Amino acid sequence: MIDRLIEKIKQTDNPSVVGLDTNFDYLPDELRAGVADLRGAAQAIAEFNRNVIDNICDIVPAVKVQIAYYEMYGVEGMKTFAETLAYASKKGMYVMTDAKRNDIGATAECYAKAYLGKTFVNGASETAFDSDFLTVNGYLGSDGIVPFLKWMKECDKGIFVLVKTSNPSSGELQDMRLSDGKTVYEYMGQWVEAWGKNCRGKYGYSDVGAVVGATHPAQAEILRKQMPHTFFLIPGYGAQGGTARDLKVCFDADGMGGIVNSSRGILCAYRQEKYNGKSYSEAARLASIDMKNDLNQAIKG
Ligand SMILES: O=c1ccn([C@@H]2O[C@H](COP(=O)(O)O)[C@@H](O)[C@H]2O)c(=O)[nH]1
């Protein structure tokens, strides 16, 4: 799976993923007008997502759909979540579900079936939520990861395991030094390399990727050196303050090895003065092009 994502990144010359963290409050007035319940909100979000996808699908390789923004609209929100995955996929984009799932092995198996594999009902199988990649929390250890590895291989999918997250307080635990001087995030990085050992593709990267925030460049630089076979999903660009220069360290000498997420920076671009007068979907396209150029200049320049 990672090879196919890498090929799409090469084909679009764009190492970015648009985050569909579609909060109803981000929608323009015309989509919000008259809506007063979860169902209406979920339907408006679905329309917004379709229009954004239509406007970026030829230039952006992937979308990352953050499940929290759909869960909060209940069952109707989850229908929009599923519809959005399917729509982006139909338009040729790779689809990442950002749900940061895990649990004890038996429960992790259910999550793996739900987002990467198949659910069996009396011997018949069906896909519940069809995504190409899922974000996973590795901090429960190997028995929680094994089911994801199994289903990933079975269905040619991938995962991104949290290693060094972009939030300001991620260091409270992740940067702690253990008795040998190594940090917790470095240990997690080692585990991720090991989990991906048997699923490396032709570009040398494995289907087990890592989430590494753009907002912590010093730690990202260490991780890139220690994790030569691990592809990074890099959140924190734009709205959280991470810059293209900061995240350059996440990429290898060939300018490969990562994909950078922006959610609010794209979805809410139409509210920026720079894109004044543009519709939300036109602004999303222009902001995606600006992001691509900004990243390529920093990574390859
Ligand atoms: O360490 C992490 C892991 C995940 N995220 C997610 O990425 C996006 C970021 O959104 P922006 O609006 O571009 O800031 C969001 O879905 C987070 O849940 C992260 O930010 N950091």
Side-chain angles (χ1 to χ4, degrees):
M1 173 48 75
I2 199 69
D3 281 349
R4 288 194 276 141
L5 178 65
I6 291 171
E7 267 148 25
K8 186 83 178 177
I9 291 171
K10 283 173 179 279
Q11 181 217 318
T12 53
D13 190 26
N14 190 355
S16 75
V17 46
V18 166
L20 294 175
D21 299 16
T22 317
N23 191 322
F24 181 70
D25 295 341
Y26 299 165
L27 271 48
D29 293 347
E30 71 266 20
L31 285 183
R32 279 187 292 132
V35 175
D37 58 12
L38 297 178
R39 183 153 181 257
Q43 286 173 349
I45 289 168
E47 182 179 342
F48 179 93
N49 285 352
R50 282 195 300 272
N51 285 329
V52 169
I53 291 166
D54 285 345
N55 272 269
I56 61 167
C57 62
D58 59 328
I59 53 165
V60 177
V63 289
K64 180 172 80 63
V65 190
Q66 166 54 263
I67 202 165
Y69 289 85
Y70 301 84
E71 276 179 15
M72 80 171 160
Y73 301 102
V75 174
E76 297 296 331
M78 289 306 289
K79 283 188 197 161
T80 293
F81 168 75
E83 262 175 53
T84 299
L85 300 181
Y87 193 75
S89 210
K90 199 177 86 185
K91 290 283 176 168
M93 304 185 84
Y94 286 95
V95 175
M96 303 175 181
T97 289
D98 190 355
K100 301 181 181 68
R101 288 295 194 256
N102 213 330
D103 209 306
I104 62 163
T107 311
E109 173 95 17
C110 301
Y111 282 136
K113 283 179 178 166
Y115 295 101
L116 300 172
K118 299 174 247 179
T119 303
F120 287 82
V121 182
N122 276 340
S125 69
E126 219 175 306
T127 302
F129 298 110
D130 200 4
S131 34
D132 301 306
F133 293 90
L134 175 69
T135 59
V136 167
N137 184 348
Y139 283 90
L140 280 91
S142 292
D143 58 356
I145 290 290
V146 167
F148 292 102
L149 299 180
K150 186 183 88 184
W151 280 104
M152 226 180 73
K153 281 186 196 158
E154 170 96 16
C155 298
D156 189 19
K157 303 290 174 85
I159 57 173
F160 287 102
V161 183
L162 299 179
V163 173
K164 175 63 189 167
T165 58
S166 67
N167 52 312
S169 53
S170 71
E172 287 172 6
L173 172 72
Q174 296 162 21
D175 292 359
M176 274 178 80
R177 284 197 187 278
L178 303 176
S179 55
D180 62 358
K182 266 205 194 125
T183 57
V184 170
Y185 75 79
E186 286 175 271
Y187 263 101
M188 182 50 71
Q190 272 182 10
W191 277 108
V192 171
E193 273 278 308
W195 288 328
K197 205 173 66 184
N198 296 324
C199 40
R200 289 181 193 157
K202 66 178 177 191
Y203 297 103
Y205 287 104
S206 104
D207 288 328
V208 181
V211 176
V212 177
T215 45
H216 303 296
Q219 291 88 336
E221 189 170 10
I222 292 169
L223 288 169
R224 174 42 66 224
K225 288 193 186 109
Q226 292 184 355
M227 304 175 76
H229 306 104
T230 306
F231 200 84
F232 291 177
L233 169 60
I234 309 157
Y237 172 85
Q240 294 178 49
T243 66
R245 266 177 59 189
D246 292 332
L247 57 80
K248 179 180 164 61
V249 293
C250 294
F251 289 80
D252 64 23
D254 299 326
M256 291 305 299
I259 188 162
V260 183
N261 178 80
S262 177
S263 305
R264 287 167 289 181
I266 306 294
L267 302 186
C268 302
Y270 75 98
R271 291 179 176 169
Q272 291 178 37
E273 208 177 318
K274 192 176 178 187
Y275 306 110
N276 203 7
K278 302 289 176 198
S279 70
Y280 66 88
S281 52
E282 285 168 341
R285 182 177 179 87
L286 293 175
S288 298
I289 294 170
D290 287 345
M291 177 179 175
K292 165 185 160 166
N293 293 338
D294 184 35
L295 294 176
N296 280 337
Q297 202 177 19
I299 296 163
K300 297 177 187 169

